[in-house]
């Protein structure tokens, strides 16, 4: 019983992404993953379920079944393999199942009205996002796909995996649900954007590691680092889950550094053993194992930069833990279209009508009070999935200060590697405390100055990054206008179709 009531309560909450609503809620009796899955699937089918429930016209007869509960219960009745997850004699289950024949008939009519020949076709229709009636001004994010050149080429994948996609010249054209459209990115080599909601995770290319799901902005650090053969080996300091690491491996291979005399390796660090196991699988699937020296369970901060193991390390990629405030939650704002209850006919009786009028406002009032208690609570879900409840701006400030202190410590450690000449620092955060302010503090450090480190200027960056229009925060950089130009940002919600991200690079002209 708690599964449906708890899911309904979460869907009615006034703030927060669906993920933070579910995983940030304390004392859930149901499994959070089960609640999340039910909410997601019910929202996908929401328009159809609303139509079916209204046409079946049973809500006015079942006082215990609220409109939101009806969406969840009817979803499981019609679409879940095991039906409604309640005992056979439970009141809510019997209240829905007594109308099973009517609901099935209306569901079939809904499919036929859409001219869909089967239930499978209906499911594909829903997965393609063709039933959504959301705000037309909100454009869905494209599906970014990196072609893994360790295993294939862009040309081959266009001809094989995406042969039935129409190539377009503008990213805006791709951001349409239900259409098989493809855009070849102009900033990052071997990156394409596909129409959202088209299922490709079951494709041979994805299962074989030939293509990798990776947000465009997540490709910036490895591309900006631009590790040339003369730069020697590379360190990925916080490597899991491995997308940036395998991207580095692909870039190294593209620069023809396979010769034994100049073979470049990647030292990958991940202190979390569970995340390290996931990364190990991804690296093997991507065909990058031959280049990567995996330091599973080891903390980059505990390394000795002067160890002979790192004598040839000339480039480092740092993407430390952060607030994750720029991450796109594809279920960030679930749309819920609630079925309406038809008016009572005279035959329903005045007494029954009066009972409903008395009880419904009381329920609404109690629900409103309950949700108002959590409305001001904010949840910060970091890039590792950990959730921090923030009750005030002070809590947020304290969390950002703790993160930025760790990030600066990691960055200062990277400057100590004797042969290093390039470093990229990136986060998926929107906050200047974790981005520009960390860069400024690092550049002001006496040791960093002594070693000759400086920011990589915009005009020195690889072409795709130099041409990227969104730069660092001028407000955060203050009088350092050139520093703002050197920093790179992406903003979630704008026309570029990326998540919120930040990256900057450091270089030194002479190794001291």
């Amino acid at each position: 019983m708690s599964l449906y009531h708890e899911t309904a309560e979460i869907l009615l909450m006034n703030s927060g992404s669906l993920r933070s609503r579910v995983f940030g809620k304390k004392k859930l009796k149901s499994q959070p993953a089960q609640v999340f899955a039910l909410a997601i699937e019910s929202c996908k089918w929401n328009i159809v379920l609303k139509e079916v429930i209204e046409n079946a016209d049973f809500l006015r007869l079942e006082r215990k079944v609220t409109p939101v509960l009806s969406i969840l219960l009817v979803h499981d009745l019609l679409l879940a393999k095991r039906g409604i997850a309640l005992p056979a004699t439970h009141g809510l289950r019997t209240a829905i199942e007594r109308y099973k024949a009517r609901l099935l008939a209306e569901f079939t009519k809904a499919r036929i009205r859409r001219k869909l020949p089967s239930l499978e076709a209906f499911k594909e229709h829903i997965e393609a996002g063709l039933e959504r009636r959301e705000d037309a001004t909100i454009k869905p994010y494209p599906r970014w796909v990196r072609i893994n050149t360790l295993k294939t080429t862009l040309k081959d994948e266009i001809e094989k995996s995406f042969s039935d996609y129409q190539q377009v010249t503008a990213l805006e054209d791709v951001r349409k649900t239900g259409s098989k459209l493809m855009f070849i990115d102009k900033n990052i080599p071997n990156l394409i954007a596909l129409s959202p909601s088209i299922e490709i995770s079951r494709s041979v290319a994805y299962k074989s590691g030939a293509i990798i799901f990776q947000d465009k902005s997540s490709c910036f650090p490895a591309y900006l680092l631009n590790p040339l053969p003369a730069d020697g080996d590379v360190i990925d300091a916080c490597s899991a889950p491995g997308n940036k690491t395998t991207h580095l491996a692909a870039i190294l291979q593209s620069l023809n550094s396979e010769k034994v005399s100049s073979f470049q390796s990647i030292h990958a660090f991940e202190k979390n053993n569970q995340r390290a196991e996931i990364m190990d699988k991804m690296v093997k699937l991507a065909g990058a194992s031959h280049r990567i020296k995996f330091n599973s369970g080891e903390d980059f901060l505990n390394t000795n930069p002067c160890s002979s193991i790192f004598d040839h390390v000339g480039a480092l990629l740092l993407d430390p833990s952060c607030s994750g405030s720029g991450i796109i939650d594809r279920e960030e704002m679930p749309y819920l279209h609630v079925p309406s209850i038809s008016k009572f006919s005279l035959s329903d009786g005045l007494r029954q009508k009066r009972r409903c009028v008395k009880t419904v406002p009381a329920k609404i009032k109690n629900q409103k009070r309950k949700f108002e208690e959590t409305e001001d609570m904010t949840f910060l879900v970091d890039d590792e999935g950990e959730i921090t409840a923030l009750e005030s701006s002070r809590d947020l400030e304290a969390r950002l200060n703790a993160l930025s202190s760790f990030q600066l410590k990691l960055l200062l450690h990277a400057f100590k590697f004797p042969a290093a000449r390039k470093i990229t620092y990136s986060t998926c955060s929107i906050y200047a405390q974790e981005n520009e302010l960390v860069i400024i503090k690092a550049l002001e450090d006496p040791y960093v100055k002594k070693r000759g480190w400086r920011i990589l200027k915009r005009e020195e960056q690889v072409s795709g990054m130099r041409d990227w229009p969104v730069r660092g925060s001028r407000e955060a950089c203050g009088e350092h206008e050139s520093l703002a130009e050197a920093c790179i940002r992406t903003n979630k919600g704008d026309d570029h179709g990326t998540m919120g991200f930040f990256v900057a690079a450091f270089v030194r002209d002479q190794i001291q």
Side-chain angles (χ1 to χ4, degrees):
M1 179 177 178
S2 58
L3 170 64
Y4 297 101
H5 282 290
E6 288 178 331
T7 306
E9 181 178 329
I10 283 167
L11 287 174
L12 287 169
M13 289 172 68
N14 295 326
S15 62
S17 70
L18 181 57
R19 190 176 298 277
S20 66
R21 294 182 199 182
V22 174
F23 295 98
K25 187 173 177 59
K26 298 178 180 179
K27 298 180 181 179
L28 270 180
K29 294 180 181 178
S30 308
Q31 290 291 330
Q34 193 176 7
V35 172
F36 186 75
L38 176 59
I40 286 294
E41 292 303 314
S42 297
C43 286
K44 282 182 185 177
W45 286 88
N46 186 200
I47 297 295
V48 174
L49 294 173
K50 177 180 184 292
E51 180 182 317
V52 168
I53 292 166
E54 287 179 344
N55 290 338
D57 191 25
F58 68 88
L59 282 180
R60 63 189 179 87
L61 304 174
E62 300 294 339
R63 291 174 50 214
K64 291 183 179 179
V65 182
T66 66
V68 178
L69 275 175
S70 72
I71 291 285
L72 304 173
L73 291 163
V74 172
H75 170 273
D76 277 8
L77 174 71
L78 299 176
L79 294 159
K81 289 182 179 180
R82 298 182 180 180
I84 297 174
L86 290 171
T89 57
H90 193 282
L92 285 179
R93 179 169 174 174
T94 57
I96 296 297
E97 288 187 342
R98 67 168 55 101
Y99 306 101
K100 184 175 181 178
R102 191 186 304 179
L103 288 165
L104 284 170
E106 292 298 337
F107 187 64
T108 301
K109 290 177 184 177
R111 174 177 60 78
I112 293 171
R113 276 194 293 272
R114 290 161 175 80
K115 299 180 181 180
L116 298 169
S118 64
L119 177 58
E120 285 304 312
F122 206 172
K123 289 179 179 179
E124 290 178 5
H125 173 84
I126 295 297
E127 288 297 330
L130 298 177
E131 204 59 43
R132 295 174 185 167
R133 297 177 190 169
E134 300 163 6
D135 186 347
T137 63
I138 301 175
K139 297 178 181 178
Y141 285 91
R143 169 70 75 184
W144 290 103
V145 176
R146 177 167 61 82
I147 307 301
N148 180 16
T149 53
L150 293 168
K151 286 195 166 185
T152 185
T153 65
L154 176 62
K155 182 176 181 293
D156 285 347
E157 291 310 310
I158 289 175
E159 292 176 353
K160 293 187 301 183
S161 302
F162 306 112
S163 59
D164 56 343
Y165 281 69
Q166 178 186 348
Q167 189 171 327
V168 295
T169 57
L171 179 64
E172 183 179 357
D173 295 333
V174 169
R175 301 177 71 174
K176 299 174 183 176
T177 57
S179 303
K180 284 193 170 184
L181 303 175
M182 174 181 62
F183 170 76
I184 299 176
D185 190 64
K186 297 176 182 178
N187 297 99
I188 303 294
N190 303 304
L191 183 70
I192 61 174
L194 303 178
S195 300
S197 304
I198 301 297
E199 179 59 56
I200 58 172
S201 61
R202 298 175 185 174
S203 67
V204 174
Y206 178 75
K207 290 181 178 180
S208 67
I211 62 173
I212 295 171
F213 295 155
Q214 186 170 358
D215 189 271
K216 175 175 178 174
S217 57
S218 177
C219 298
F220 283 14
Y223 182 52
L224 180 62
L225 187 63
N226 190 30
L228 302 173
D231 295 324
D233 294 340
V234 183
I235 283 180
D236 187 349
C238 312
S239 53
N243 281 348
K244 296 179 184 69
T245 317
T246 56
H247 190 199
L248 275 173
I251 290 173
L252 292 180
Q253 179 164 298
S254 71
L255 296 172
N256 298 316
S257 56
E258 298 93 343
K259 296 179 181 179
V260 176
S261 60
S262 61
F263 189 87
Q264 293 169 275
S265 297
I266 301 170
H267 299 270
F269 290 87
E270 178 50 57
K271 65 180 181 180
N272 184 296
N273 286 319
Q274 188 174 4
R275 285 166 59 85
E277 289 178 9
I278 295 172
M279 180 183 168
D280 186 45
K281 293 178 182 178
M282 291 189 67
V283 166
K284 289 177 180 176
L285 182 64
S289 300
H290 66 292
R291 282 200 178 271
I292 296 172
K293 296 179 179 179
F294 201 26
N295 299 277
S296 177
E298 293 188 30
D299 190 340
F300 172 70
L301 283 173
N302 293 332
T303 59
N304 177 8
C306 296
S307 170
S308 59
I309 299 172
F310 307 121
D311 281 349
H312 302 292
V313 170
L316 294 93
L317 186 150
L318 276 67
D319 188 67
S321 296
C322 68
S323 64
S325 49
I327 294 174
I328 298 167
D329 189 341
R330 291 182 182 270
E331 296 80 37
E332 191 166 354
M333 295 295 291
Y335 287 83
L336 190 65
H337 302 271
V338 180
S340 58
I341 303 175
S342 61
K343 294 181 179 179
F344 290 95
S345 63
L346 292 175
S347 61
D348 290 322
L350 185 59
R351 183 179 300 175
Q352 185 180 14
K353 183 176 179 180
R354 283 177 178 170
R355 280 203 302 268
C356 288
V357 171
K358 287 181 180 179
T359 56
V360 171
K363 286 184 179 180
I364 293 173
K365 185 177 181 181
N366 290 336
Q367 282 183 343
K368 185 176 181 182
R369 186 182 302 116
K370 185 184 294 183
F371 298 137
E372 282 177 349
E373 290 173 0
T374 60
E375 187 175 0
D376 294 330
M377 180 75 76
T378 301
F379 298 98
L380 196 64
V381 186
D382 68 21
D383 58 335
E384 294 184 1
E386 294 186 12
I387 298 174
T388 304
L390 306 172
E391 297 183 2
S392 67
S393 58
R394 289 183 180 179
D395 287 348
L396 175 60
E397 193 68 26
R399 178 61 177 155
L400 293 178
N401 286 338
L403 285 167
S404 61
S405 295
F406 163 74
Q407 292 154 354
L408 179 60
K409 184 178 180 181
L410 195 81
L411 183 53
L412 293 178
H413 186 68
F415 288 123
K416 296 177 181 178
F417 285 77
R421 62 181 74 187
K422 293 179 178 179
I423 297 173
T424 57
Y425 169 83
S426 59
T427 75
C428 50
S429 170
I430 63 173
Y431 298 112
Q433 291 96 316
E434 300 178 88
N435 299 330
E436 289 89 354
L437 298 186
V438 170
I439 300 298
I440 291 171
K441 289 177 182 177
L443 290 170
E444 291 175 347
D445 185 86
Y447 179 81
V448 174
K449 289 181 178 180
K450 181 181 178 181
R451 301 281 289 179
W453 286 98
R454 62 176 179 83
I455 199 75
L456 179 68
K457 299 175 184 178
R458 180 174 185 174
E459 58 267 24
E460 298 172 318
Q461 296 169 4
V462 288
S463 59
M465 297 292 88
R466 183 175 63 244
D467 297 339
W468 180 253
V470 187
R471 313 309 292 188
S473 168
R474 292 184 180 275
E475 181 181 356
C477 292
E479 60 186 21
H480 307 287
E481 188 174 328
S482 60
L483 178 61
E485 278 296 298
C487 295
I488 297 168
R489 274 184 176 264
T490 63
N491 301 317
K492 62 178 179 180
D494 66 11
D495 292 337
H496 297 294
T498 67
M499 67 177 179
F501 201 81
F502 173 89
V503 64
F506 300 87
V507 292
R508 57 176 176 162
D509 302 312
Q510 294 182 346
I511 298 178
Q512 300 175 3

